[in-house]
Amino acid sequence: QVQVVESGGGLVQPGGSLRLSCTISGSSFSPYTMGWYRQAPGKRRALVATLTGGRNTNYVDAVKGRFTISRDNAKNTVYLQMNILKVEDTAVYYCNDITARYVWGQGTQVTVSS
């Protein structure tokens, strides 16, 4: 059974950094374009970063230059390095491929607050 587990969230002050991890067990994701999504309170889940199997990346403007998505196919893990965090980055963060082929995990809460 495929399981998606996100981790690495927490409480951080504005300007701080966090590194999120997403491990997918029971399936190899190496050929798929993976993405990190976030859902802020009262808003719909939205895609913020994608990474193809060929290592091409794409980011929404709100996180461009601050977030970096990467992957370790041998570990079936996707990462999201988040720097210069802002209050508006507060959300629950999820990963999935861009077609949402996996059952959504629990996500990991990121709270940016002074």
mmCIF file of all heavy atoms in Angstrom, residues 31-64:
data_model
loop_
_atom_site.group_PDB
_atom_site.id
_atom_site.type_symbol
_atom_site.label_atom_id
_atom_site.label_comp_id
_atom_site.label_asym_id
_atom_site.label_seq_id
_atom_site.Cartn_x
_atom_site.Cartn_y
_atom_site.Cartn_z
ATOM 1 N N PRO A 31 9.795 8.319 -12.066
ATOM 2 C CA PRO A 31 9.449 8.875 -13.375
ATOM 3 C C PRO A 31 8.471 10.054 -13.307
ATOM 4 O O PRO A 31 8.222 10.695 -14.320
ATOM 5 C CB PRO A 31 8.788 7.698 -14.101
ATOM 6 C CG PRO A 31 8.271 6.830 -13.031
ATOM 7 C CD PRO A 31 9.094 7.066 -11.805
ATOM 8 N N TYR A 32 7.938 10.336 -12.139
ATOM 9 C CA TYR A 32 6.852 11.299 -12.065
ATOM 10 C C TYR A 32 7.325 12.704 -11.728
ATOM 11 O O TYR A 32 8.329 12.898 -11.055
ATOM 12 C CB TYR A 32 5.831 10.863 -11.006
ATOM 13 C CG TYR A 32 5.296 9.470 -11.204
ATOM 14 C CD1 TYR A 32 5.182 8.592 -10.129
ATOM 15 C CD2 TYR A 32 4.890 9.029 -12.458
ATOM 16 C CE1 TYR A 32 4.701 7.313 -10.299
ATOM 17 C CE2 TYR A 32 4.413 7.744 -12.633
ATOM 18 C CZ TYR A 32 4.315 6.893 -11.563
ATOM 19 O OH TYR A 32 3.830 5.631 -11.731
ATOM 20 N N THR A 33 6.545 13.677 -12.161
ATOM 21 C CA THR A 33 6.772 15.048 -11.730
ATOM 22 C C THR A 33 6.123 15.212 -10.365
ATOM 23 O O THR A 33 4.916 15.061 -10.216
ATOM 24 C CB THR A 33 6.167 16.045 -12.723
ATOM 25 O OG1 THR A 33 6.861 15.938 -13.975
ATOM 26 C CG2 THR A 33 6.305 17.470 -12.210
ATOM 27 N N MET A 34 6.947 15.522 -9.381
ATOM 28 C CA MET A 34 6.461 15.652 -8.008
ATOM 29 C C MET A 34 6.248 17.114 -7.666
ATOM 30 O O MET A 34 6.876 18.018 -8.249
ATOM 31 C CB MET A 34 7.466 15.041 -7.050
ATOM 32 C CG MET A 34 7.667 13.548 -7.229
ATOM 33 S SD MET A 34 6.142 12.611 -6.968
ATOM 34 C CE MET A 34 5.824 12.964 -5.239
ATOM 35 N N GLY A 35 5.360 17.326 -6.712
ATOM 36 C CA GLY A 35 5.069 18.699 -6.323
ATOM 37 C C GLY A 35 4.858 18.844 -4.837
ATOM 38 O O GLY A 35 4.483 17.891 -4.155
ATOM 39 N N TRP A 36 5.123 20.040 -4.367
ATOM 40 C CA TRP A 36 4.746 20.435 -3.013
ATOM 41 C C TRP A 36 3.554 21.382 -3.128
ATOM 42 O O TRP A 36 3.552 22.297 -3.971
ATOM 43 C CB TRP A 36 5.893 21.133 -2.294
ATOM 44 C CG TRP A 36 6.879 20.193 -1.690
ATOM 45 C CD1 TRP A 36 8.067 19.788 -2.228
ATOM 46 C CD2 TRP A 36 6.772 19.532 -0.435
ATOM 47 N NE1 TRP A 36 8.691 18.915 -1.392
ATOM 48 C CE2 TRP A 36 7.922 18.742 -0.266
ATOM 49 C CE3 TRP A 36 5.811 19.532 0.589
ATOM 50 C CZ2 TRP A 36 8.150 17.945 0.858
ATOM 51 C CZ3 TRP A 36 6.026 18.752 1.704
ATOM 52 C CH2 TRP A 36 7.182 17.972 1.844
ATOM 53 N N TYR A 37 2.586 21.136 -2.281
ATOM 54 C CA TYR A 37 1.361 21.925 -2.238
ATOM 55 C C TYR A 37 1.253 22.528 -0.833
ATOM 56 O O TYR A 37 1.857 22.030 0.111
ATOM 57 C CB TYR A 37 0.138 21.045 -2.462
ATOM 58 C CG TYR A 37 0.102 20.281 -3.760
ATOM 59 C CD1 TYR A 37 0.937 19.191 -3.984
ATOM 60 C CD2 TYR A 37 -0.795 20.643 -4.758
ATOM 61 C CE1 TYR A 37 0.888 18.481 -5.171
ATOM 62 C CE2 TYR A 37 -0.868 19.936 -5.946
ATOM 63 C CZ TYR A 37 -0.024 18.849 -6.142
ATOM 64 O OH TYR A 37 -0.080 18.143 -7.317
ATOM 65 N N ARG A 38 0.433 23.546 -0.708
ATOM 66 C CA ARG A 38 0.138 24.067 0.615
ATOM 67 C C ARG A 38 -1.305 24.525 0.692
ATOM 68 O O ARG A 38 -1.889 24.924 -0.324
ATOM 69 C CB ARG A 38 1.087 25.202 1.001
ATOM 70 C CG ARG A 38 0.950 26.489 0.218
ATOM 71 C CD ARG A 38 2.034 27.467 0.645
ATOM 72 N NE ARG A 38 1.958 28.733 -0.076
ATOM 73 C CZ ARG A 38 2.875 29.694 0.028
ATOM 74 N NH1 ARG A 38 3.937 29.526 0.807
ATOM 75 N NH2 ARG A 38 2.728 30.819 -0.652
ATOM 76 N N GLN A 39 -1.832 24.441 1.903
ATOM 77 C CA GLN A 39 -3.195 24.878 2.145
ATOM 78 C C GLN A 39 -3.208 25.766 3.373
ATOM 79 O O GLN A 39 -2.963 25.305 4.491
ATOM 80 C CB GLN A 39 -4.133 23.682 2.338
ATOM 81 C CG GLN A 39 -5.598 24.079 2.457
ATOM 82 C CD GLN A 39 -6.529 22.888 2.359
ATOM 83 O OE1 GLN A 39 -6.130 21.737 2.537
ATOM 84 N NE2 GLN A 39 -7.787 23.153 2.056
ATOM 85 N N ALA A 40 -3.464 27.030 3.151
ATOM 86 C CA ALA A 40 -3.552 27.999 4.232
ATOM 87 C C ALA A 40 -4.966 27.974 4.799
ATOM 88 O O ALA A 40 -5.908 27.553 4.121
ATOM 89 C CB ALA A 40 -3.197 29.386 3.718
ATOM 90 N N PRO A 41 -5.131 28.434 6.027
ATOM 91 C CA PRO A 41 -6.464 28.444 6.635
ATOM 92 C C PRO A 41 -7.480 29.179 5.767
ATOM 93 O O PRO A 41 -7.228 30.306 5.321
ATOM 94 C CB PRO A 41 -6.228 29.182 7.960
ATOM 95 C CG PRO A 41 -4.804 28.927 8.277
ATOM 96 C CD PRO A 41 -4.095 28.912 6.955
ATOM 97 N N GLY A 42 -8.600 28.519 5.502
ATOM 98 C CA GLY A 42 -9.657 29.139 4.722
ATOM 99 C C GLY A 42 -9.419 29.181 3.228
ATOM 100 O O GLY A 42 -10.212 29.779 2.487
ATOM 101 N N LYS A 43 -8.339 28.544 2.769
ATOM 102 C CA LYS A 43 -8.024 28.570 1.342
ATOM 103 C C LYS A 43 -7.921 27.157 0.791
ATOM 104 O O LYS A 43 -7.781 26.195 1.526
ATOM 105 C CB LYS A 43 -6.720 29.332 1.100
ATOM 106 C CG LYS A 43 -6.784 30.794 1.475
ATOM 107 C CD LYS A 43 -5.530 31.524 1.048
ATOM 108 C CE LYS A 43 -5.627 33.001 1.330
ATOM 109 N NZ LYS A 43 -4.402 33.733 0.907
ATOM 110 N N ARG A 44 -7.964 27.051 -0.514
ATOM 111 C CA ARG A 44 -7.838 25.757 -1.172
ATOM 112 C C ARG A 44 -6.369 25.362 -1.252
ATOM 113 O O ARG A 44 -5.465 26.194 -1.243
ATOM 114 C CB ARG A 44 -8.435 25.826 -2.579
ATOM 115 C CG ARG A 44 -9.914 26.165 -2.596
ATOM 116 C CD ARG A 44 -10.464 26.138 -4.001
ATOM 117 N NE ARG A 44 -10.459 24.786 -4.560
ATOM 118 C CZ ARG A 44 -10.958 24.478 -5.746
ATOM 119 N NH1 ARG A 44 -11.473 25.421 -6.508
ATOM 120 N NH2 ARG A 44 -10.929 23.245 -6.187
ATOM 121 N N ARG A 45 -6.142 24.061 -1.343
ATOM 122 C CA ARG A 45 -4.778 23.567 -1.511
ATOM 123 C C ARG A 45 -4.247 24.032 -2.863
ATOM 124 O O ARG A 45 -4.948 23.954 -3.877
ATOM 125 C CB ARG A 45 -4.772 22.053 -1.416
ATOM 126 C CG ARG A 45 -3.405 21.417 -1.475
ATOM 127 C CD ARG A 45 -3.401 20.061 -0.804
ATOM 128 N NE ARG A 45 -4.546 19.248 -1.138
ATOM 129 C CZ ARG A 45 -4.976 18.232 -0.380
ATOM 130 N NH1 ARG A 45 -4.356 17.938 0.744
ATOM 131 N NH2 ARG A 45 -6.015 17.520 -0.753
ATOM 132 N N ALA A 46 -3.006 24.482 -2.861
ATOM 133 C CA ALA A 46 -2.420 25.041 -4.083
ATOM 134 C C ALA A 46 -1.014 24.504 -4.273
ATOM 135 O O ALA A 46 -0.266 24.323 -3.312
ATOM 136 C CB ALA A 46 -2.399 26.560 -4.004
ATOM 137 N N LEU A 47 -0.668 24.303 -5.520
ATOM 138 C CA LEU A 47 0.661 23.828 -5.876
ATOM 139 C C LEU A 47 1.647 24.987 -5.807
ATOM 140 O O LEU A 47 1.373 26.071 -6.331
ATOM 141 C CB LEU A 47 0.615 23.258 -7.295
ATOM 142 C CG LEU A 47 1.857 22.598 -7.865
ATOM 143 C CD1 LEU A 47 2.248 21.369 -7.054
ATOM 144 C CD2 LEU A 47 1.617 22.226 -9.324
ATOM 145 N N VAL A 48 2.801 24.769 -5.176
ATOM 146 C CA VAL A 48 3.779 25.853 -5.057
ATOM 147 C C VAL A 48 5.100 25.541 -5.746
ATOM 148 O O VAL A 48 5.838 26.463 -6.113
ATOM 149 C CB VAL A 48 4.051 26.246 -3.591
ATOM 150 C CG1 VAL A 48 2.786 26.794 -2.941
ATOM 151 C CG2 VAL A 48 4.601 25.097 -2.785
ATOM 152 N N ALA A 49 5.434 24.262 -5.912
ATOM 153 C CA ALA A 49 6.710 23.910 -6.524
ATOM 154 C C ALA A 49 6.595 22.538 -7.177
ATOM 155 O O ALA A 49 5.932 21.657 -6.648
ATOM 156 C CB ALA A 49 7.824 23.894 -5.482
ATOM 157 N N THR A 50 7.248 22.387 -8.326
ATOM 158 C CA THR A 50 7.255 21.093 -9.002
ATOM 159 C C THR A 50 8.674 20.736 -9.428
ATOM 160 O O THR A 50 9.520 21.614 -9.638
ATOM 161 C CB THR A 50 6.348 21.074 -10.242
ATOM 162 O OG1 THR A 50 6.825 22.033 -11.192
ATOM 163 C CG2 THR A 50 4.908 21.373 -9.882
ATOM 164 N N LEU A 51 8.896 19.433 -9.575
ATOM 165 C CA LEU A 51 10.208 18.926 -9.976
ATOM 166 C C LEU A 51 9.983 17.700 -10.838
ATOM 167 O O LEU A 51 9.392 16.719 -10.394
ATOM 168 C CB LEU A 51 11.033 18.568 -8.736
ATOM 169 C CG LEU A 51 12.380 17.886 -8.962
ATOM 170 C CD1 LEU A 51 13.317 18.770 -9.777
ATOM 171 C CD2 LEU A 51 13.019 17.546 -7.623
ATOM 172 N N THR A 52 10.456 17.768 -12.072
ATOM 173 C CA THR A 52 10.297 16.637 -12.975
ATOM 174 C C THR A 52 11.335 15.563 -12.674
ATOM 175 O O THR A 52 12.308 15.786 -11.944
ATOM 176 C CB THR A 52 10.448 17.070 -14.440
ATOM 177 O OG1 THR A 52 11.827 17.412 -14.674
ATOM 178 C CG2 THR A 52 9.558 18.255 -14.772
ATOM 179 N N GLY A 53 11.137 14.397 -13.288
ATOM 180 C CA GLY A 53 12.129 13.340 -13.155
ATOM 181 C C GLY A 53 13.467 13.756 -13.744
ATOM 182 O O GLY A 53 14.513 13.249 -13.350
ATOM 183 N N GLY A 54 13.403 14.689 -14.685
ATOM 184 C CA GLY A 54 14.614 15.190 -15.305
ATOM 185 C C GLY A 54 15.225 16.370 -14.589
ATOM 186 O O GLY A 54 16.142 17.002 -15.098
ATOM 187 N N ARG A 55 14.719 16.666 -13.388
ATOM 188 C CA ARG A 55 15.294 17.690 -12.502
ATOM 189 C C ARG A 55 14.927 19.116 -12.910
ATOM 190 O O ARG A 55 15.577 20.065 -12.455
ATOM 191 C CB ARG A 55 16.812 17.566 -12.406
ATOM 192 C CG ARG A 55 17.294 16.156 -12.102
ATOM 193 C CD ARG A 55 17.058 15.757 -10.682
ATOM 194 N NE ARG A 55 17.421 14.366 -10.418
ATOM 195 C CZ ARG A 55 17.558 13.833 -9.223
ATOM 196 N NH1 ARG A 55 17.356 14.586 -8.150
ATOM 197 N NH2 ARG A 55 17.871 12.574 -9.064
ATOM 198 N N ASN A 56 13.950 19.274 -13.757
ATOM 199 C CA ASN A 56 13.484 20.637 -14.052
ATOM 200 C C ASN A 56 12.527 21.095 -12.966
ATOM 201 O O ASN A 56 11.644 20.345 -12.545
ATOM 202 C CB ASN A 56 12.788 20.672 -15.403
ATOM 203 C CG ASN A 56 13.746 20.395 -16.532
ATOM 204 O OD1 ASN A 56 14.839 20.929 -16.580
ATOM 205 N ND2 ASN A 56 13.342 19.538 -17.464
ATOM 206 N N THR A 57 12.678 22.332 -12.527
ATOM 207 C CA THR A 57 11.861 22.857 -11.443
ATOM 208 C C THR A 57 10.991 24.010 -11.909
ATOM 209 O O THR A 57 11.305 24.684 -12.896
ATOM 210 C CB THR A 57 12.733 23.342 -10.278
ATOM 211 O OG1 THR A 57 13.608 24.374 -10.753
ATOM 212 C CG2 THR A 57 13.569 22.214 -9.697
ATOM 213 N N ASN A 58 9.921 24.226 -11.154
ATOM 214 C CA ASN A 58 9.057 25.361 -11.410
ATOM 215 C C ASN A 58 8.456 25.796 -10.078
ATOM 216 O O ASN A 58 8.177 24.948 -9.216
ATOM 217 C CB ASN A 58 7.949 25.000 -12.397
ATOM 218 C CG ASN A 58 7.316 26.223 -13.017
ATOM 219 O OD1 ASN A 58 7.872 27.315 -12.945
ATOM 220 N ND2 ASN A 58 6.159 26.053 -13.635
ATOM 221 N N TYR A 59 8.280 27.102 -9.915
ATOM 222 C CA TYR A 59 7.773 27.646 -8.661
ATOM 223 C C TYR A 59 6.739 28.724 -8.947
ATOM 224 O O TYR A 59 6.824 29.438 -9.941
ATOM 225 C CB TYR A 59 8.901 28.278 -7.844
ATOM 226 C CG TYR A 59 10.051 27.345 -7.543
ATOM 227 C CD1 TYR A 59 11.149 27.269 -8.395
ATOM 228 C CD2 TYR A 59 10.042 26.548 -6.406
ATOM 229 C CE1 TYR A 59 12.196 26.411 -8.129
ATOM 230 C CE2 TYR A 59 11.091 25.697 -6.125
ATOM 231 C CZ TYR A 59 12.162 25.628 -6.996
ATOM 232 O OH TYR A 59 13.198 24.772 -6.724
ATOM 233 N N VAL A 60 5.790 28.858 -8.029
ATOM 234 C CA VAL A 60 4.890 29.991 -8.135
ATOM 235 C C VAL A 60 5.659 31.242 -7.735
ATOM 236 O O VAL A 60 6.653 31.177 -6.990
ATOM 237 C CB VAL A 60 3.640 29.821 -7.231
ATOM 238 C CG1 VAL A 60 2.814 28.637 -7.694
ATOM 239 C CG2 VAL A 60 4.028 29.679 -5.778
ATOM 240 N N ASP A 61 5.216 32.378 -8.216
ATOM 241 C CA ASP A 61 5.945 33.619 -7.973
ATOM 242 C C ASP A 61 6.127 33.908 -6.482
ATOM 243 O O ASP A 61 7.144 34.464 -6.073
ATOM 244 C CB ASP A 61 5.214 34.789 -8.645
ATOM 245 C CG ASP A 61 5.364 34.779 -10.157
ATOM 246 O OD1 ASP A 61 6.247 34.054 -10.673
ATOM 247 O OD2 ASP A 61 4.588 35.474 -10.834
ATOM 248 N N ALA A 62 5.154 33.527 -5.673
ATOM 249 C CA ALA A 62 5.192 33.856 -4.248
ATOM 250 C C ALA A 62 6.365 33.219 -3.517
ATOM 251 O O ALA A 62 6.782 33.715 -2.463
ATOM 252 C CB ALA A 62 3.880 33.454 -3.587
ATOM 253 N N VAL A 63 6.904 32.129 -4.058
ATOM 254 C CA VAL A 63 7.996 31.430 -3.361
ATOM 255 C C VAL A 63 9.284 31.414 -4.175
ATOM 256 O O VAL A 63 10.321 30.954 -3.674
ATOM 257 C CB VAL A 63 7.598 29.987 -2.993
ATOM 258 C CG1 VAL A 63 6.277 29.968 -2.252
ATOM 259 C CG2 VAL A 63 7.536 29.090 -4.213
ATOM 260 N N LYS A 64 9.234 31.914 -5.386
ATOM 261 C CA LYS A 64 10.409 31.885 -6.266
ATOM 262 C C LYS A 64 11.569 32.623 -5.630
ATOM 263 O O LYS A 64 11.412 33.724 -5.112
ATOM 264 C CB LYS A 64 10.026 32.495 -7.617
ATOM 265 C CG LYS A 64 10.929 32.126 -8.767
ATOM 266 C CD LYS A 64 10.348 32.614 -10.078
ATOM 267 C CE LYS A 64 9.072 31.890 -10.453
ATOM 268 N NZ LYS A 64 8.549 32.289 -11.776
#
